[in-house]
Amino acid sequence: MTTSHRPEIAVIGGSGFYSFFSDDAESVVLDTPYGSTSGPITVGDVGGRSVAFLPRHGTAHEYSPHTLPYRANMWALRMLGVQRVFAPCAVGSLVVEYGPGTFVVPDQLVDRTSGRVQTYFDQGGVHVEFADPYCSELRGAALQDGVVDGGTMVVVEGPRFSTRAESQWYARQGWTLVNMTGHPEAVLARELELCYTPIALVTDLDAGIEAGQGVRAVDVFAEFARNIEPLKKLVRDAIGAAPSGPCSSCRIHDGADLPIELP
């Protein structure tokens, strides 16, 4: 690891969010026990704070949600000294009130993925508290003017979008957003005692919520591109509002005997 700064805050960019700094940002090369990260980590300055940026899907969207190296990504950020993570992401809306262009900071998660490795604790009897999956302090920092406070994000396996019947079922459960990458990212952050919150950008109404041809990737990317600058501004404002250091509620391993040493 070679960096002249130890960033305390990280941003994981979602679909269409592949860069955050100018070309003079410092690039960091890391080797983790879980392989390479999905893209290069760059370190730059945001309002006087050192911030790390990692493109979740790679710099050219090389990774689909089910093939992402989630464990390598989160481990590398902690290796760098990161304590807090903002995770912008594209989501479909399951309620007509949240149309394309809406920013939402959810407060709950439902995991509907399958086959993804979702823990660092492959040995030992470790059970992780996850009732409230997102850091309350970071959520508060992200709740800038006009941002919707709360909602349940259901995370599906992908890479396909939902059928109409599936999205209608999700909506009947009272869930409000659908996404493909929010899990296991959130629980891996919790295991590493990283404060974590998503910042969701609604790119579409999910297939069963309105009549039409259904969700198409090209339309999702186009809507994300239309909103990328407001999203980056929101992330910068959230970084400026974020407290320093980890919060006590995300220190879940105090007194526990872990089977591995965290970085």
Side-chain angles (χ1 to χ4, degrees), residues 66-77:
H66 66 297
T67 63
L68 278 166
Y70 292 101
R71 292 201 292 181
N73 286 348
M74 305 310 293
W75 192 272
L77 293 179

Side-chain angles (χ1 to χ4, degrees), residues 47-81:
R49 305 183 78 168
S50 182
V51 176
F53 176 77
L54 171 64
R56 182 182 289 116
H57 294 276
T59 55
H61 209 96
E62 302 98 302
Y63 291 92
S64 288
H66 66 297
T67 63
L68 278 166
Y70 292 101
R71 292 201 292 181
N73 286 348
M74 305 310 293
W75 192 272
L77 293 179
R78 167 131 179 176
M79 285 177 65
L80 271 177

Side-chain angles (χ1 to χ4, degrees), residues 1 10-12 28-41 52-58 63 65 67-82 85 116-122 184-189 191-192 194 260 263:
M1 177 174 65
V11 176
I12 303 176
V28 182
V29 177
L30 293 168
D31 182 25
T32 84
Y34 307 98
S36 301
T37 58
S38 56
I41 298 174
F53 176 77
L54 171 64
R56 182 182 289 116
H57 294 276
Y63 291 92
T67 63
L68 278 166
Y70 292 101
R71 292 201 292 181
N73 286 348
M74 305 310 293
W75 192 272
L77 293 179
R78 167 131 179 176
M79 285 177 65
L80 271 177
V82 166
V85 179
R116 300 183 187 184
V117 179
Q118 55 179 291
T119 184
Y120 292 106
F121 303 129
D122 296 324
E185 197 171 90
V187 73
L188 294 174
E191 288 190 349
L192 292 174
L194 297 175
I260 61 172

